[in-house]
Amino acid sequence: MKSKIAESVNLRYAPVAIVFTNEKPEGATQFKEGRWGCVVAMLQAAAKGRITVFDRKTYGCSGGGTGLGFGNTYINMPGGIEYFLSMGNKEFYQSEIGKNIVKNLPALEHGEAYKKTPEFAKSFIDALPYYDVPTEYVVFKPLEILLSGEKPEVVVFLAAPDQLSAMVVLANYARHGGDNVIVPMGAGCHSICIIPLNEGKSDNPRGVIGLIDVSARKHVAKDILSFSVPYKMFLEMESNVEESFLTRDEWLKIKKRNQ
């Protein structure tokens, strides 16, 4: 499947389709069971042409399991996710069990300081749109190599500022108002999967700007953010490309500097 949007904004990377399936793609890249990994690194690989796959044993980390839609995997976080996101849980990590865990992940003891207190962090975690994927696998693949009959749940664009500005405007083109895009706090994987999935439940879903997660930023170029939309919004935006500002001189000047 070719994307008019990708062509019109001169994307640096291929749009990525997120597909739910019970069939594991042959030759797909997958995390090893029990090993840590970042979902955003797999997204980057897919945007460069590879197929990547996840299941309930190979989602990389508790944030990845949650972000991909494998339920609330934060309940398995040693010491409590609300402490990890805030001030750490020194009491737990000074216990015998905690000492063994923190040897490999010292940040667990001190926390990430993304929320001021565990209470603030818990309110964030409790409000996430948890999802239970109805299939065995979640697959990331370049949109252009979708098989006949495959329907993505979400389409993710990796975009620099110029391209991102165009997609925000296009998302609002055939809509009332100007608030049809959101920039929610969350893990990188939240912003590319469960949050746009949740938007897909709406009659007028919003686009989701993501990869603002400081911990995930190292896996993408410094000028790249994500723009993710549920599939029905992707089709809406695609249908409006040729009549929109994307064919007008004001945008074409900007497009030229991205060649």
Side-chain angles (χ1 to χ4, degrees):
M1 178 185 294
K2 293 288 186 180
S3 169
K4 295 177 184 178
I5 299 169
E7 183 178 352
S8 295
V9 303
N10 273 350
L11 279 186
R12 189 183 310 171
Y13 303 103
V16 175
I18 299 181
V19 179
F20 295 164
T21 179
N22 287 313
E23 296 183 15
K24 183 178 178 179
E26 185 176 350
T29 300
Q30 186 175 20
F31 290 135
K32 292 183 178 179
E33 184 176 345
R35 297 289 294 274
W36 183 92
C38 182
V39 169
V40 173
M42 291 293 214
L43 174 71
Q44 177 77 19
K48 291 182 176 180
R50 293 164 66 182
I51 299 175
T52 60
V53 63
F54 312 87
D55 61 26
R56 286 168 176 78
K57 295 181 179 179
T58 61
Y59 46 70
C61 73
S62 58
T66 296
L68 289 167
F70 292 124
N72 181 7
T73 55
Y74 282 129
I75 60 175
N76 302 317
M77 186 76 180
I81 183 62
E82 67 270 28
Y83 290 94
F84 179 55
L85 291 177
S86 57
M87 57 194 296
N89 189 340
K90 292 183 179 180
E91 181 178 351
F92 174 79
Y93 288 109
Q94 288 172 358
S95 68
E96 288 305 311
I97 296 176
K99 286 179 182 178
N100 290 327
I101 295 172
V102 83
K103 285 179 183 178
N104 296 321
L105 292 169
L108 290 173
E109 183 175 2
H110 303 289
E112 294 183 305
Y114 292 154
K115 284 288 190 178
K116 186 172 184 177
T117 67
E119 290 75 22
F120 287 143
K122 187 175 186 304
S123 70
F124 160 69
I125 292 299
D126 288 347
L128 286 172
Y130 295 101
Y131 192 88
D132 187 11
V133 174
T135 59
E136 186 173 356
Y137 301 105
V138 175
V139 173
F140 293 177
K141 64 192 306 184
L143 182 70
E144 60 190 23
I145 63 170
L146 277 178
L147 300 176
S148 177
E150 277 189 319
K151 178 184 174 182
E153 303 295 326
V154 173
V155 177
V156 183
F157 301 90
L158 295 183
D162 282 346
Q163 289 99 8
L164 189 62
S165 67
M167 285 185 277
V168 170
V169 176
L170 185 62
N172 283 279
Y173 174 72
R175 299 282 191 88
H176 293 292
D179 57 351
N180 294 289
V181 175
I182 58 174
V183 191
M185 176 178 170
C189 46
H190 296 167
S191 65
I192 64 171
C193 198
I194 60 169
I195 295 177
L197 277 173
N198 189 58
E199 287 297 319
K201 297 175 182 178
S202 169
D203 291 336
N204 291 292
R206 297 169 294 181
V208 181
I209 294 174
L211 301 188
I212 63 166
D213 175 9
V214 174
S215 296
R217 291 296 308 158
K218 58 182 173 286
H219 296 293
V220 294
K222 63 182 180 180
D223 62 339
I224 291 292
L225 290 171
S226 62
F227 185 85
S228 305
V229 290
Y231 186 55
K232 64 181 178 181
M233 186 172 182
F234 167 76
L235 294 177
E236 173 195 324
M237 291 173 65
E238 284 278 304
S239 71
N240 288 318
V241 167
E242 293 169 343
E243 67 180 50
S244 76
F245 69 97
L246 290 171
T247 61
R248 304 292 181 90
D249 287 345
E250 196 69 20
W251 169 251
L252 294 177
K253 294 173 186 176
I254 303 299
K255 178 181 178 179
K256 187 175 181 180
R257 74 180 185 183
N258 286 279
Q259 292 178 337

